[in-house]
Amino acid sequence: MRTAKLICLFGLIAAFAVKSIAAEGIIREAYNQNADLAILAAHENERMHYILLNSRVRPKSNLWAEFAGALDAFGEVRYQALKPLILERDISELQASVLAGEFSYEDLTTFYLYRIRKLESDNSTYLNAIIALNPEAIEQAQALDRSRQIYPAQDRDPIHGMPILLKDNINAEGMATTAGAVALAENFTGDAFITERLREKGAIILGKANLSEWAYFFCDDCPSGYSAMGGQTLNPYGRFEFNTGGSSAGSGAGIAANYAAAAVGSETSGSILSPSSANSLVGLKPTTGSLSRSGVIPISASLDTVGPMTRSVADAVILFNAMAGYDQADTAMPLLSQDHSLVHWEGSLAEKRLGALDIFLDDRFYSDALRLLGEEEAAIVEVVMPEYSSEDFGKLLGAEMKRDLGQYLESYAAEQVRIDSVSALQAFNEADLELRAPYGQAEVDRMVDLNFTADETETLRADLQDGAKAVMEALFESGRLDLLLSVNNQSANFAALANYPALTIPMGYEDDGRPVGLTLIAPPFSEQLLIDVGARFEALSRMRRLPSDYQ
């Protein structure tokens, strides 16, 4: 890293202090980031040599200012009383508590908002997981409570009344969709297709989750989880010890810390799998084409997808189903997406052939997982990860983002947005790099210099994707595999290019507390198979636990 630049910037950052108002109206002393930044500067992982923590653009206290009266009325006593009924509870358990009269949807929504304020306003617990909160969240919860008097439980979708976070590259009316970038600070749009689906089913869009700016296709040598709008997302399992994974960092950290019932992330290559495994969550990266991307800020039309990030496999199924539906505007969606839904059940593993990658066989968590699955009569087939060159992968992403971002800005961006292309973004940031791009914008610079024709881009895409599919198909056929088993996001690039869906599930914790995930990879549109095996593994292992400082 640029050590001299770090030291110089520490002095600049000292001037930036935010007075935060904690729950119950306690005024905390101004937070000086220098001491924490000095600790991080000595971290063995250079990617954690952060040069700032809190956003310079948005005072954090603005997040919950709209709710001050409601949260003070809710109070600490009520919050503490509801904690055992809400923390770490599956969506089905939350719905059962509402049905039993233990709390209302308004109580549930206010609980999460209170928890966000309580933890994010504390200098020892903040995660910078949230960029925006929905100012109408409590009113919407109240309306859903009233609707319970009209519609019986069996007529309501399981997502009804559940507060959900959206990664801040997903359009949602009433909140700006920024991708973490200052250039989109005023990007107030209508709902994305999946947001419409969630609202139609009765979900409450609680807010927008922080992310690696521009979905981590923005800068070199920059940490995952940083954006100018949201600051540096931190990992609740070790705020200054482990990174959050990216780019759906806020979705990962926020759900791990129980800031909402569930969250939606997005992935091009690893951006759901990485933060889910880093935060001990279940993350489903569906086949591109399973869920709509209309109204989602893109990197690559060929590879992008949205997907659930949850604390259980059952919740991932509920959230996936609530977003599903055929969107004729998204040309990646086959007609089968109209009725594409998943079922949660713990199926038998007998006769399932699971590929065990040789490079992970010495990993104790992986070995334990194989043993558990083998005891359930699954056939464990040792396989070797084939070599595959994806040397021009970055060029493909750059060429497609240069094309696709321009299309998003033309079709969806608010009138107030001042950029219309990657070149305009580059110029906008160069006007104030210290504020808008403190880690630089190397990926943007490279995109501006890329001059691929449409035919060249398509040829590159076909070469990379067809090659990856052929290699993956050969691997599955040679071992007669149903699934391939990996660790965290270590096979994400290969799976993304082949358009193979993946599901990661908590597998354990290193001695220092770092979460580890088992990742299942299956052929296209085999999400149900992932759920079948994943649900059984989850039931056998039961590894997820709440971070110790967020009990």
Side-chain angles (χ1 to χ4, degrees):
M1 283 288 290
R2 306 170 292 276
T3 306
K5 185 177 179 181
L6 286 172
I7 295 171
C8 177
L9 281 167
F10 284 166
L12 293 171
I13 294 162
F16 180 73
V18 178
K19 280 192 174 182
S20 59
I21 302 175
E24 306 303 303
I26 299 171
I27 305 296
R28 296 185 182 273
E29 293 183 2
Y31 173 51
N32 188 322
Q33 303 176 82
N34 280 357
D36 289 335
L37 289 168
I39 293 171
L40 286 159
H43 199 287
E44 63 181 3
N45 181 355
E46 288 193 355
R47 289 296 180 91
M48 294 194 68
H49 292 179
Y50 304 151
I51 62 176
L52 59 86
L53 291 169
N54 286 332
S55 170
R56 295 171 176 168
V57 178
R58 173 193 46 76
K60 193 183 298 185
S61 58
N62 288 3
L63 279 173
W64 45 78
E66 183 79 23
F67 307 105
L71 299 185
D72 290 343
F74 185 77
E76 184 71 9
V77 172
R78 181 63 172 156
Y79 170 75
Q80 293 295 338
L82 287 178
K83 277 174 70 174
L85 298 175
I86 294 176
L87 291 190
E88 292 293 288
R89 299 298 183 183
D90 289 351
I91 287 173
S92 61
E93 294 175 299
L94 296 175
Q95 294 286 18
S97 288
V98 171
L99 190 61
E102 294 175 317
F103 53 78
S104 64
Y105 293 136
E106 180 184 359
D107 290 331
L108 180 63
T109 301
T110 309
F111 174 91
Y112 286 130
L113 292 170
Y114 187 97
R115 182 170 174 82
I116 289 168
R117 184 180 75 167
K118 181 181 180 69
L119 295 175
E120 290 295 322
S121 64
D122 188 325
N123 297 334
S124 66
T125 57
Y126 75 85
L127 300 172
N128 287 334
I130 308 295
I131 283 183
L133 292 170
N134 177 6
E136 298 181 354
I138 293 178
E139 292 178 7
Q140 290 170 0
Q142 291 169 341
L144 291 170
D145 279 324
R146 290 192 294 271
S147 75
R148 288 193 293 127
Q149 311 306 315
I150 303 171
Y151 302 106
Q154 62 267 25
D155 293 339
R156 300 194 296 265
D157 191 270
I159 206 74
H160 185 97
M162 294 296 105
I164 304 297
L165 291 172
L166 301 180
K167 184 177 179 180
D168 196 25
N169 60 350
I170 301 169
N171 289 356
E173 187 172 356
M175 293 170 282
T177 300
T178 73
V182 179
L184 297 184
E186 299 301 317
N187 187 31
F188 289 90
T189 70
D191 284 340
F193 181 92
I194 62 165
T195 310
E196 290 179 350
R197 296 289 292 173
L198 288 167
R199 292 194 202 270
E200 288 168 3
K201 300 290 183 65
I204 297 165
I205 306 304
L206 188 69
K208 307 297 279 296
N210 200 4
L211 70 163
S212 306
E213 190 164 336
W214 294 107
Y216 215 19
F217 201 69
F218 180 56
C219 47
D220 285 344
D221 299 326
C222 51
S224 58
Y226 169 78
S227 77
M229 291 300 295
Q232 179 62 55
T233 317
L234 303 174
N235 189 321
Y237 289 93
R239 294 168 70 245
F240 299 150
E241 298 171 55
F242 317 129
N243 68 38
T244 56
S247 63
S248 306
S251 300
I255 298 308
N258 282 246
Y259 281 4
V264 183
S266 72
E267 175 159 331
T268 305
S269 174
S271 290
I272 289 172
L273 300 178
S274 171
S276 294
S277 56
N279 290 279
S280 198
L281 295 179
V282 172
L284 174 60
K285 180 264 178 187
T287 312
T288 296
S290 289
L291 296 173
S292 166
R293 290 92 45 82
S294 294
V296 180
I297 296 174
I299 291 179
S300 163
S302 299
L303 303 177
D304 290 349
T305 183
V306 297
M309 296 174 65
T310 61
R311 292 181 290 269
S312 70
V313 175
D315 286 357
V317 169
I318 289 172
L319 186 51
F320 178 94
N321 289 345
M323 293 188 287
Y326 180 64
D327 173 14
Q328 63 181 2
D330 187 343
T331 55
M333 299 194 80
L335 284 172
L336 66 86
S337 299
Q338 178 69 42
D339 301 311
H340 193 30
S341 62
L342 303 175
V343 178
H344 177 258
W345 68 303
E346 296 173 23
S348 169
L349 300 186
E351 300 183 3
K352 293 289 190 297
R353 294 178 63 82
L354 311 181
L357 288 166
D358 62 326
I359 57 174
F360 301 125
L361 292 177
D362 291 335
D363 181 293
R364 60 189 174 98
F365 300 104
Y366 193 73
S367 296
D368 286 346
L370 295 179
R371 177 184 52 78
L372 279 176
L373 294 166
E375 289 174 354
E376 292 292 301
E377 300 184 17
I380 307 300
V381 182
E382 184 176 336
V383 296
V384 177
M385 176 61 85
E387 293 184 5
Y388 176 71
S389 174
S390 56
E391 182 180 353
D392 291 330
F393 188 39
K395 290 181 181 178
L396 172 64
L397 297 186
E400 292 211 337
M401 184 170 176
K402 190 172 183 178
R403 176 197 68 201
D404 298 338
L405 178 59
Q407 292 175 357
Y408 169 90
L409 292 170
E410 181 179 356
S411 300
Y412 296 101
E415 292 183 2
Q416 301 94 313
V417 173
R418 294 160 50 190
I419 64 168
D420 60 4
S421 65
V422 169
S423 296
L425 170 63
Q426 180 191 52
F428 177 87
N429 287 334
E430 284 178 345
D432 190 349
L433 281 173
E434 183 183 316
L435 178 71
R436 298 170 181 174
Y439 294 96
Q441 54 176 345
E443 291 288 5
V444 175
D445 295 337
R446 281 192 285 271
M447 278 190 278
V448 170
D449 291 339
L450 272 179
N451 291 303
F452 282 19
T453 66
D455 287 344
E456 288 170 337
T457 300
E458 174 56 23
T459 297
L460 180 58
R461 183 211 61 76
D463 287 347
L464 285 168
Q465 285 205 283
D466 292 349
K469 288 176 183 176
V471 172
M472 190 70 89
E473 287 170 0
L475 176 64
F476 270 67
E477 288 173 7
S478 64
R480 294 183 291 116
L481 304 180
D482 293 297
L483 293 174
L484 184 66
L485 304 179
S486 186
V487 175
N488 297 339
N489 66 321
Q490 294 194 46
S491 306
N493 181 296
F494 193 15
L497 278 171
N499 199 18
Y500 275 45
L503 178 74
T504 192
I505 304 165
M507 184 166 61
Y509 302 84
E510 300 280 6
D511 293 341
D512 59 3
R514 184 193 301 270
V516 183
L518 177 69
T519 300
L520 288 60
I521 300 169
F525 297 102
S526 297
E527 285 83 1
Q528 186 60 59
L529 177 60
L530 294 175
I531 295 301
D532 292 348
V533 177
R536 188 62 190 142
F537 175 73
E538 179 184 60
L540 293 168
S541 58
R542 294 293 177 191
M543 282 296 175
R544 173 165 167 83
R545 62 173 182 254
L546 186 64
S548 58
D549 292 336
Y550 295 82
Q551 303 287 340

